[in-house]
Amino acid sequence: MKIKGFILAFLFLAVFSLSGITQQEGRVPSPEEVLGFQVGADFKLADYPMMLRYFQLLDEASDRVIVSRIGTTTEDQPFIIAIISSPENLAQREHYREIARRLTSVRGLEEEEAWQLANEGKAVVWIDGGIHSTEIAPTQHSFKLAYHLASDNSPQTLEILDKVILVLLPCANPDGLNLVVNWYNRNLGTPFETSRLPWLYQKYVGHDNNRDFFMLTQKETRAITEALYHRWFPQIAYNHHQTAPFPARIFIPPFAGPTNPNIDPLVISGINLVGSRMAHAFNEAGQTGVISGTRFTTWWNGGGRTTPYYHNIVGILTETALYRYATPKFYTRDDFPEEYRDLSPQANYPNPWKGGWWRLGDAVDYCLTASTAVLDVAAKYKERFLFNIYLIGKRAIEKGQTESPYAFVIPPQQWDPPTAAKMLNTLIMGGVEVHMAKAPFQADGIDYPKGSFVILMSQPYRAYAKDLLEPQQYPPRHLYPGGPPIPPYDLTGWTLPYQMGVNTVPIIHPFQGELELISRASSPQGKVKGKASYAYLISHNANNSFIAVNRLLKEGYEIYWAAEPISVEGEEFSPGAIVIPAKGGIHRLIAPISEELSLQIYPLNRRLQGRAYRLKPLRLALYKSWVASMDEGWTRWVLEQFEFPYQNIQDAEVRKGKLSENYDVILLPDIRPRAILEGHAPGTMPPEYCGGIGIEGLANLKMFVAEGGTLVTLDSSSELPLENFQLPVENSLKDVKRTDFFCPGSILSAEVDTSHPIGYGMKEKSAVVFRRSPAFRIIPTTEQTGAKVVVTYPDRNPLLSGWLLGGEYLSNKAAVVDVPMGKGRVILIGFSPQHRGQPHRTFKMLFNSIYYGSTTLTRLP
């Protein structure tokens, strides 16, 4: 059914009057008629309300376009796709979608029937752009692409419409598009016309929205994932981006190495086929400056074009050049890197760009050439693309039956059961088949109980499941033997069980079990074991226990962390057990909290003796720089998921001082000290966004700690107190050469002092995400400093997943240190415990640090 007027509640009347045009029956409006300017015109950008208006008009005017909503954005805007094909195909779109689903799902199909379906079906192609909102050309090109397909009657377009169903996501980040357009229009004609945004272009994660495609924390990535792997099942997924290696005008496939071994070779050859057609299209159009085979790789999992590889889809990335926004720029050969100034053709750059003016309109035209080429090759080889997605899935199922590992088992007994369920449900959202054992079974000589979760490798998305569950072994790459390492495109290791602390067992040999496919994993039901007369006890192990603590503190209840082990009716509680005195009507809240959060809550009917930390309602400040920080955004997101109250604190407030009047704890996310101290340089931004905390702000932070406050630093921000607070701690990696030590984004083993409040609820053996991070050494002094190491790297190679050069430099070095200073303390966390919302295993270290910073050591009541 066509979506007529679906935008009703989302658009203001002003939006509907943008163009002032009256739609004529059967006439497709051009973007210029609606927007009032040419797409790609200098100094002109269309925002998301304009896009919604235009695509609604296309839906109404063209029988080749159907607009559909796939969800809402973080800021509650409608999130739309446009389905574009011939009228006949659109009338049978559910039939063709079902063909795509059957070929992707594989099961029940023999090759002969698969070929029949491939011949009958239509290639499904997904194209999107604008997930990184400052990369503005791809979003603007969506207007021209949709109009071209809706109005053009050339043989090429008619063939595309006949053989392809395009699922066009015209803007993958609507909230960000509005932020960028508003910022540009605000500064147009001023010295700050091309200045960067002083805030993230997505509420929480900014640029990292394209790093969220396996963790699926954000509304947009969840909606896209649902459309890709549960609704439309495309054979090609094409992401437009906009950071071409200068001076090239566009990067196209093939990609550079390394290639992840879990990706089927047919996916790689499909990528190369599409890239070859793109190259021909640019040469046919006389568009120069096309480069390939550099910088961008096929190793990492987690992006909009990389995650599809593991779903047997040909994932395409292009990076188009643009200066900034809609402002043109003139380039001469002197602007080029020296190696490109002679304009000599190269195998991967055969027709160099010579320089000159470069405009938004040029970038839009390059995007349009690339999109048309993808659709053209999909039409020409539609039977092959359809059959190959079946063939890759069939191979995956067969490998799962003949190659190790045969499965991964997640036993029901877990350190943190709700987090284990989150991991499983994240995999299910990504299309992984998860089973539950209906009866006990044995695998590799180990007995597993009923209720164990089993992820069989014999499934179409085997590559995706396997890649997320097993350790990565990144192939080391250097500029030359013994030379500096070549930085990877992104992380080199991301293994989910390590990050989330979930006991996951690979099964090496075939086994039998009575298994049932599930659509959702549930953690064990939370229970209150009885009514307490003295207190209720909750284990510190589950991350969800912090939600319970935050809710109860908000209601005014007393909460303690027991500083010593507790034994209650055969249950052993490690230090950190949460003690909630049974008074003030607490009984009515305990059962709902237990049930909702899957927490086991135990009654205590005798008074306990011993030391305890009394928790106070938080007065937490999270530092937010005008140099927008994704880590700050991720920290906000994680804090909100676990219901932590906080206030953002910015440069002016830090410079003003008297911080202890309002806060007990200040949290610095992973931001370089220079950005914190200096911020944006004067003249690069509107004045209100320039500067950092400055020398006065630094002095105020020191005073805050000296007066009894706690400063918690994450990853690189730890350098700020190390360099300025005269702490008895140093970064042992500070002067180590990159040729000797390099860890660009890996998972490392670490050992935790679980008797320290920062280590409460942790296992002694843990894992952390290390990404060019510091490592600490306490400086020997003649005075007793009181600095305590909470987390240490082991004396052996700590690499668990990814790439680590020079692991010996981490031997016995500290990852977390608690440093007293005056009446307060500095807690140095030498990694990002909340990195991209993924390492649930280390969330507790962040949460513990926050509460520990304002606790009082006392006795249990």
Side-chain angles (χ1 to χ4, degrees):
M1 180 177 80
K2 283 232 175 186
I3 309 296
K4 305 296 184 183
F6 74 93
I7 303 171
L8 291 176
F10 297 91
L11 290 180
F12 302 109
L13 290 176
V15 175
F16 285 93
S17 62
L18 277 172
S19 64
I21 67 171
T22 300
Q23 181 58 39
Q24 299 176 9
E25 185 70 27
R27 180 176 169 276
V28 178
S30 70
E32 292 72 30
E33 292 176 279
V34 179
L35 303 179
F37 55 85
Q38 293 278 335
V39 172
D42 292 349
F43 313 112
K44 297 290 186 180
L45 293 176
D47 62 15
Y48 196 60
M50 293 178 180
M51 178 170 281
L52 290 174
R53 172 61 170 155
Y54 182 69
F55 275 85
Q56 187 199 29
L57 289 174
L58 277 186
D59 179 278
E60 294 170 349
S62 173
D63 57 3
R64 300 177 182 180
V65 180
I66 293 176
V67 175
S68 174
R69 202 173 95 180
I70 61 173
T72 57
T73 68
T74 300
E75 302 283 1
D76 292 325
Q77 294 192 88
F79 202 24
I80 65 164
I81 57 173
I83 306 152
I84 304 176
S85 193
S86 70
E88 296 77 15
N89 291 346
L90 292 180
Q92 298 187 70
R93 62 189 180 279
E94 289 302 311
H95 172 65
Y96 293 123
R97 187 185 66 78
E98 177 62 13
I99 288 176
R101 186 198 66 78
R102 291 188 65 194
L103 289 168
T104 299
S105 302
V106 178
R107 291 193 179 92
L109 285 181
E110 298 297 331
E111 287 199 12
E112 183 177 353
E113 186 180 3
W115 269 118
Q116 292 172 356
L117 290 174
N119 285 311
E120 179 185 354
K122 307 297 178 181
V124 181
V125 176
W126 173 281
I127 296 180
D128 66 46
I131 193 167
H132 294 155
S133 301
T134 51
E135 300 173 10
I136 201 73
T139 301
Q140 305 298 294
H141 118 283
S142 293
F143 290 93
K144 293 189 75 169
L145 177 62
Y147 175 66
H148 174 75
L149 294 173
S151 62
D152 183 60
N153 290 308
S154 67
Q156 182 191 45
T157 298
L158 293 178
E159 182 183 30
I160 288 170
L161 293 170
D162 178 54
K163 296 182 178 180
V164 176
I165 295 175
L166 168 63
V167 183
L168 173 65
L169 181 67
C171 178
N173 183 8
D175 301 341
L177 175 61
N178 287 341
L179 288 170
V180 167
V181 174
N182 291 339
W183 176 255
Y184 181 66
N185 289 339
R186 164 185 167 173
N187 296 306
L188 192 61
T190 76
F192 314 115
E193 179 172 299
T194 59
S195 63
R196 302 181 186 278
L197 271 72
W199 41 71
L200 297 172
Y201 51 65
Q202 196 271 358
K203 181 177 180 179
Y204 294 111
V205 302
H207 196 84
D208 270 356
N209 56 3
N210 197 37
R211 306 294 185 269
D212 190 46
F213 277 95
F214 68 68
M215 203 66 203
L216 305 175
T217 67
Q218 304 301 302
K219 291 176 69 175
E220 294 85 352
T221 43
R222 289 189 178 203
I224 292 170
T225 295
E226 174 69 21
L228 283 170
Y229 311 129
H230 298 276
R231 177 65 184 166
W232 281 102
F233 310 100
Q235 296 84 53
I236 299 174
Y238 175 17
N239 292 155
H240 280 275
H241 283 265
Q242 188 187 293
T243 313
F246 188 73
R249 298 297 84 194
I250 191 170
F251 167 87
I252 65 172
F255 296 103
T259 293
N260 192 300
N262 286 314
I263 301 171
D264 191 282
L266 265 177
V267 170
I268 301 300
S269 61
I271 292 169
N272 295 343
L273 171 64
V274 174
S276 177
R277 178 64 188 98
M278 283 179 160
H280 278 284
F282 283 109
N283 287 329
E284 290 165 352
Q287 293 170 307
T288 63
V290 180
I291 198 168
S292 62
T294 184
R295 186 183 300 176
F296 306 101
T297 74
T298 50
W299 174 264
W300 171 67
N301 189 343
R305 60 96 183 175
T306 61
T307 302
Y309 302 155
Y310 305 88
H311 292 81
N312 310 333
I313 296 169
V314 172
I316 300 298
L317 166 78
T318 57
E319 296 273 359
T320 307
L322 188 60
Y323 174 46
R324 287 184 190 165
Y325 312 121
T327 297
K329 185 173 175 63
F330 189 85
Y331 295 91
T332 70
R333 227 183 282 183
D334 291 339
D335 297 315
F336 293 4
E338 186 173 349
E339 63 268 27
Y340 288 99
R341 290 177 186 171
D342 64 358
L343 303 181
S344 59
Q346 302 172 32
N348 68 332
Y349 189 50
N351 193 2
W353 185 58
K354 296 180 173 60
W357 281 105
W358 188 256
R359 293 180 156 84
L360 173 60
D362 298 317
V364 167
D365 288 344
Y366 271 58
C367 289
L368 189 61
T369 297
S371 289
T372 305
V374 170
L375 294 170
D376 182 68
V377 74
K380 293 287 193 299
Y381 296 96
K382 72 102 175 169
E383 292 86 0
R384 281 290 176 186
F385 283 114
L386 284 162
F387 181 76
N388 282 351
I389 204 166
Y390 160 82
L391 183 58
I392 298 168
K394 181 173 180 287
R395 287 176 178 174
I397 291 173
E398 291 170 351
K399 280 187 176 181
Q401 295 168 342
T402 58
E403 295 183 12
S404 174
Y406 290 86
F408 290 84
V409 175
I410 296 87
Q413 295 299 321
Q414 294 285 334
W415 186 261
D416 182 353
T419 293
K422 285 180 183 179
M423 187 188 84
L424 289 162
N425 288 321
T426 298
L427 292 169
I428 290 170
M429 278 193 289
V432 173
E433 296 172 355
V434 176
H435 291 80
M436 178 183 281
K438 298 172 67 176
F441 67 98
Q442 188 178 86
D444 290 348
I446 299 174
D447 293 322
Y448 293 97
K450 175 183 177 181
S452 296
F453 297 99
V454 180
I455 301 174
L456 298 172
M457 288 296 95
S458 180
Q459 59 174 293
Y461 295 159
R462 172 183 182 270
Y464 184 64
K466 183 171 177 284
D467 192 67
L468 292 179
L469 294 171
E470 70 179 5
Q472 281 70 52
Q473 298 179 30
Y474 189 84
R477 300 171 70 81
H478 299 263
L479 284 175
Y480 50 85
I486 300 172
Y489 173 72
D490 201 86
L491 297 182
T492 60
W494 47 86
T495 313
L496 271 186
Y498 288 160
Q499 291 204 72
M500 300 186 76
V502 179
N503 179 24
T504 303
V505 185
I507 304 303
I508 307 304
H509 300 97
F511 69 101
Q512 297 293 323
E514 189 179 353
L515 307 178
E516 177 182 24
L517 185 66
I518 61 172
S519 59
R520 182 166 183 80
S522 299
S523 57
Q525 183 178 358
K527 292 181 181 179
V528 180
K529 305 296 184 178
K531 188 173 182 180
S533 60
Y534 167 65
Y536 290 99
L537 261 63
I538 304 175
S539 169
H540 210 108
N541 295 1
N543 288 343
N544 279 0
S545 67
F546 287 93
I547 300 177
V549 166
N550 288 327
R551 289 181 184 177
L552 292 172
L553 282 174
K554 184 178 180 181
E555 295 292 328
Y557 291 98
E558 291 180 30
I559 304 225
Y560 297 82
W561 288 347
E564 293 149 0
I566 296 175
S567 178
V568 178
E569 297 181 0
E571 294 288 338
E572 300 295 329
F573 292 83
S574 300
I578 300 162
V579 181
I580 309 160
K583 56 185 179 181
I586 189 69
H587 308 291
R588 64 181 173 82
L589 298 178
I590 287 295
I593 285 175
S594 171
E595 182 177 347
E596 179 186 347
L597 302 178
S598 299
L599 295 174
Q600 309 305 313
I601 301 181
Y602 296 83
L604 188 59
N605 295 312
R606 59 179 174 83
R607 185 172 181 177
L608 295 175
Q609 301 294 323
R611 297 174 304 128
Y613 292 90
R614 180 170 180 178
L615 275 58
K616 297 194 306 184
L618 286 174
R619 300 196 307 159
L620 170 64
L622 172 63
Y623 172 70
K624 185 176 185 179
S625 171
W626 291 120
V627 180
S629 161
M630 290 177 286
D631 199 68
E632 182 276 330
W634 278 116
T635 307
R636 269 188 288 119
W637 183 83
V638 169
L639 291 176
E640 289 177 17
Q641 302 313 298
F642 290 88
E643 303 182 19
F644 277 81
Y646 71 93
Q647 294 289 328
N648 271 125
I649 184 172
Q650 294 187 290
D651 298 319
E653 188 175 356
V654 179
R655 292 194 300 266
K656 183 179 178 181
K658 298 183 179 180
L659 298 171
S660 58
E661 292 183 2
N662 298 309
Y663 308 111
D664 295 316
V665 180
I666 295 177
L667 175 59
L668 300 183
D670 180 16
I671 306 176
R672 296 288 175 186
R674 182 173 179 178
I676 296 173
L677 290 170
E678 301 177 13
H680 292 291
T684 62
M685 300 277 278
E688 62 267 33
Y689 303 113
C690 290
I693 68 170
I695 299 301
E696 63 269 42
L698 181 65
N700 290 334
L701 283 178
K702 292 175 70 174
M703 180 64 70
F704 167 75
V705 176
E707 291 176 346
T710 294
L711 181 68
V712 181
T713 63
L714 306 184
D715 215 327
S716 63
S717 70
S718 300
E719 295 287 351
L720 185 76
L722 289 182
E723 293 172 357
N724 297 283
F725 283 18
Q726 293 78 51
L727 301 179
V729 182
E730 65 180 3
N731 176 9
S732 65
L733 299 175
K734 185 175 182 180
D735 297 320
V736 179
K737 296 178 181 179
R738 203 170 77 173
T739 50
D740 296 324
F741 178 86
F742 187 63
C743 188
S746 303
I747 302 175
L748 307 183
S749 62
E751 298 171 353
V752 182
D753 177 0
T754 59
S755 68
H756 190 287
I758 295 173
Y760 284 169
M762 298 290 296
K763 282 188 171 183
E764 292 182 355
K765 304 293 185 183
S766 191
V768 303
V769 177
F770 190 106
R771 192 177 189 188
R772 298 182 176 90
S773 303
F776 307 122
R777 187 180 75 90
I778 295 180
I779 302 170
T781 65
T782 57
E783 300 178 7
Q784 187 70 19
T785 65
K788 296 179 180 177
V789 173
V790 183
V791 181
T792 308
Y793 295 110
D795 58 4
R796 61 189 182 281
N797 186 349
L799 180 64
L800 294 174
S801 181
W803 180 22
L804 172 62
L805 170 66
E808 63 272 14
Y809 284 91
L810 291 176
S811 179
N812 294 315
K813 298 302 187 295
V816 178
V817 184
D818 172 20
V819 190
M821 177 180 162
K823 296 179 180 179
R825 59 173 27 92
V826 178
I827 299 174
L828 305 166
I829 302 179
F831 54 90
S832 292
Q834 81 307 11
H835 181 257
R836 295 178 178 170
Q838 295 172 12
H840 288 243
R841 185 175 199 158
T842 52
F843 284 3
K844 275 190 284 288
M845 286 194 219
L846 172 62
F847 300 161
N848 287 340
S849 298
I850 290 169
Y851 267 117
Y852 176 53
S854 61
T855 58
T856 303
L857 184 60
T858 181
R859 306 289 298 181
L860 286 167

